[in-house]
């Protein structure tokens, strides 16, 4: 058990750490952002009445759309149009504040532009702004560069503290609205997002402030919150910003104080100055009112025109009344503007001003998206990883707990989704998804490969162990189907195989137990290998005897032919073993071993095959008359001086399929326990391996059989005498040969000559022994 654990120990400990480190890379951030987009989609729009005790102040978007641009004219668009709208909205509309991310900084014009026109426009614009109240305009950092390079260039990058901008004395101010255009009464908020944390063009993160060499600039959304809560810059404290070292991200926050020094609001920060926008709704589904700037300009013109009727003026004043006590967010929405952005909740680009409005809602409602610290996220990944590792390593031993463990993992991901306002609109926790999912996927993949290797090793081990007792085919089927063998049998057409060593008991008494085991193991291995190679299935060993079947448990085409070929190869293999034993040094094998021969019996027909035995121990074997006859052929071979004896069914099956084997008729016999005679044949050998004298022997022997059946004993004896000299196996010449078929029949004819059979004798020989 410990070894299995040790093999995965390194992966278990280092995989979570590796994935957690990966979350710092852009590709992982993009994936995490994709999971956030999915969570936004599941959550839908936030019901503001459920998350804010006091209703969020009224917000109205005023859009500089295509219709407004058509009236205002082509670029350069006179800034006075914007300023006029700002004046009308703040004075006639009596709005609480007007917020715009449209930049009113100093502009450079070509020589073709009328400078007097520009001067008049800027002067008029300034007048409108000076006569307007509660206006918050945007300031902007126009580039992102390396930490040291920006101070050597004209670009002014945003001073992100986590990127190294901690020498505040060197940080420059943003591009500020020009005094000659807007005057000095307006408030300013920075409009930049954090493109690094956003991980792309979609706006997700915004810095809430920028500390420069001479002051602190706050983002537009935070400036609006200060206006709502009536908090001046003098009563804003950035807690934790005095230390340049970032120990814990959660330690940094912005604190609002009242005149008495009491805390009014605590705003958490990520990476010392960032906040993730909690998008309350998409641009297309927002319940906030949207008004075109053209409507503002036209109604203001109606009010200012001396020729306007009272009803028309009243109607125009009613138009501006909708802006009473509202926070107006003014932004460009016309085609071609560079003020369109991607958001996590919109399919198409939307005005950038909506990011500041949603940031304000996030700040006002305190529905902050909460993130765990790096250490906590690592702990979560470790715990989930631990559960999966337990399932991989000990799944076989805790099967009842597997579902509970997997359920715990599923619950985490449901909570990770549900904690983002899906089930409870007041909860907005962004649980990590990429590192846990990536770690679980990687570990599961590793676990699957590990299990495959373990299972493969187990299969090979099972196959190796049980293959010594069962046929490889049966073992392979058990492993592939994962089914345990069951008691029962089926009837199949097979060829039954029985073999036995001639005079085994004689030479076994001459050998020591160790030498006997060595001898038999080598012999049985050779026989079994040949059987397996020819597609047979080993049934069992009975001492020196081998029992096998061809055609079961799996179909084997021409199983009778394969069985007959196997007998020839076994006899050939035994001859090679005899020569090997004779050459071996170190063991003085007795002569009986060097003369060892094997008798084999075959029969083809239907038999019952299957698992047979008791409910606790059984064997895949065969039963039936076909099997019994094969056994009788093996034992009966001794009576005829042959070593491979087959029945007529086997003989007819084989010769109908191939001529590669040579058979000869031996006799018609009635085996003990049966009443019907059957013809038996000897397998002389493979046709390609036989000599001409063997074919001549068979021809003479068959003629002798014909005389024998006619009871012409004298002629039969002559023919058998002749064939005996041509027999491939000769007594006193070939090792272990006591007789051969020709000598057996010669002796039988002599006996018949002295003791003639009955008149109706049909040539059948009745065997008195098994």
């Amino acid at each position: 058990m410990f070894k299995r654990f040790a093999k995965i120990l390194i992966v278990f400990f280092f995989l979570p750490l590796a994935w957690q480190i990966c979350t710092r890379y852009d590709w992982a951030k993009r994936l995490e952002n994709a999971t956030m987009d999915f969570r936004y989609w599941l959550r839908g729009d936030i019901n503001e009445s459920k998350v804010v005790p006091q209703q969020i102040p009224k917000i109205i978007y005023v859009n500089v759309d295509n219709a407004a641009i058509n009236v205002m004219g082509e670029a350069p668009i006179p800034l006075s149009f914007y300023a006029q709208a700002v004046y009308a909205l703040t004075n006639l509309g009596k709005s609480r504040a007007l917020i715009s991310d449209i930049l009113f900084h100093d502009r450079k014009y070509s020589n073709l532009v009328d400078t007097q026109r520009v001067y008049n426009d800027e002067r008029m614009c300034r007048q409108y702004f000076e006569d307007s109240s509660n206006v918050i305009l945007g300031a902007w950092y126009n580039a992102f560069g390396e930490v040291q390079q920006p101070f050597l260039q004209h670009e002014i990058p945003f001073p992100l503290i986590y990127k190294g901008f901690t020498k505040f004395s060197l940080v420059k101010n943003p591009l500020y609205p020009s005094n000659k255009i807007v005057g000095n009464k307006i408030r300013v908020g920075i409009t930049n997002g954090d493109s690094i944390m956003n991980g792309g063009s979609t706006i997700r993160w915004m810095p809430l402030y920028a500390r420069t060499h001479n002051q602190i600039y706050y983002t537009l959304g935070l400036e609006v919150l200060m206006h709502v809560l009536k908090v001046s810059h003098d009563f804003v404290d950035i807690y934790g910003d005095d230390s340049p070292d970032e120990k814990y991200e959660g330690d940094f926050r912005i604190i609002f104080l009242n005149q008495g020094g009491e805390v009014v609001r605590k705003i958490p920060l990520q990476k010392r100055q960032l906040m993730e926008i909690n998008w309350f709704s998409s641009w297309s589904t927002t319940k906030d009112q949207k008004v075109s700037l053209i409507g503002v300009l036209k109604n203001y013109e109606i009010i200012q025109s001396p020729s306007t009727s009272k009803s028309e003026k009243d109607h125009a004043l009613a138009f501006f009344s909708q802006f009473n006590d509202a926070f107006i967010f003014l932004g460009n929405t016309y085609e071609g503007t560079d003020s369109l952005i991607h958001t996590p909740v919109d399919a198409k680009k939307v005005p950038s001003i909506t990011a500041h409005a949603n940031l304000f809602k996030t700040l006002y409602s305190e529905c902050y998206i909460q993130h765990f610290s790096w250490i906590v996220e690592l702990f979560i990944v470790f715990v989930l990883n631990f559960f999966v590792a337990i399932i991989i390593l000990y799944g076989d031993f805790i099967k009842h707990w597997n579902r509970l463990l997997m359920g715990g993992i599923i619950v985490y991901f449901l909570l990770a989704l549900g904690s983002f306002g899906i089930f409870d609109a007041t909860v907005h926790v962004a649980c990590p998804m990429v590192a846990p999912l990536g770690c679980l996927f990687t570990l599961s993949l590793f676990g699957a490969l590990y299990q495959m290797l373990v299972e493969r090793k187990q299969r090979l081990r099972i196959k190796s162990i049980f293959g010594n007792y069962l046929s490889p085919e049966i073992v392979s089927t058990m492993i592939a189907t994962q089914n345990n063998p069951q008691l029962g049998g089926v009837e199949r057409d097979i060829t039954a195989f029985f073999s036995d060593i001639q005079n085994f008991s004689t030479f076994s008494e001459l050998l020591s137990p160790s030498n006997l085991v060595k001898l038999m193991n080598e012999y049985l291995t050779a026989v079994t290998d040949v059987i397996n190679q020819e597609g047979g299935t080993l049934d069992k060993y009975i001492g020196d005897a081998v029992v096998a079947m061809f055609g079961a448990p799996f179909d084997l085409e021409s199983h009778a032919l394969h069985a007959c070929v196997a007998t020839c190869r076994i006899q050939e293999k035994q001859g090679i073993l005899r020569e090997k034993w004779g050459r071996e040094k170190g063991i003085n094998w007795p002569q009986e071993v060097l003369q060892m021969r094997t008798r084999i019996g075959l029969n083809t027909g239907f038999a019952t095959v299957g698992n047979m035995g008791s409910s606790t121990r059984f064997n895949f074997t065969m039963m039936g008359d076909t099997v019994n006859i094969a056994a009788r052929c093996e034992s009966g071979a001794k009576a005829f001086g042959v070593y491979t004896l087959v029945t007529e069914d086997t003989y007819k099956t084989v010769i109908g399929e191939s001529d590669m084997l040579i058979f000869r008729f031996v006799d018609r016999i009635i085996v003990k326990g049966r009443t019907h005679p059957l013809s038996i044949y000897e397998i002389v050998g493979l046709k390609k391996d036989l000599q001409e004298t063997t074919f001549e022997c068979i021809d003479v022997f068959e003629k002798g059989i014909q005389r024998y059946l006619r009871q012409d004993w004298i002629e039969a004896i002559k023919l058998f005498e002749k064939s005996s000299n041509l027999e491939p196996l000769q007594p006193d010449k070939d090792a272990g040969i006591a007789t051969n078929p020709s000598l057996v029949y010669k002796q039988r004819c002599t006996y018949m000559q002295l003791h003639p059979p009955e008149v109706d004798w049909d040539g059948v020989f009745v065997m008195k022994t098994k």
Side-chain angles (χ1 to χ4, degrees), residues 700-708 713 715-725 727 740-747 749:
V700 175
F701 180 83
E702 290 178 348
K703 292 178 181 178
I705 290 293
Q706 294 173 6
R707 295 292 182 175
Y708 164 77
W713 314 117
E715 287 300 321
I717 291 173
K718 291 180 181 180
L719 290 171
F720 289 131
E721 177 69 28
K722 180 179 180 181
S723 64
S724 66
N725 295 324
E727 286 282 353
N740 55 47
S742 297
L743 294 176
V744 170
Y745 267 96
K746 177 182 176 183
Q747 184 179 3
C749 289

Side-chain angles (χ1 to χ4, degrees), residues 507 510-511 587-595:
F507 69 77
L510 303 175
L511 298 175
I587 301 179
N588 187 19
W589 296 110
Q591 192 64 27
E592 285 78 3
V593 171
L594 304 181
Q595 296 178 353

Side-chain angles (χ1 to χ4, degrees), residues 43 97 279 316 347 381 475 502 538 545 555 632:
R43 188 199 67 184
W279 291 88
V381 178
V475 176
Q502 176 180 271
L538 179 68
D555 292 335
R632 299 294 183 272

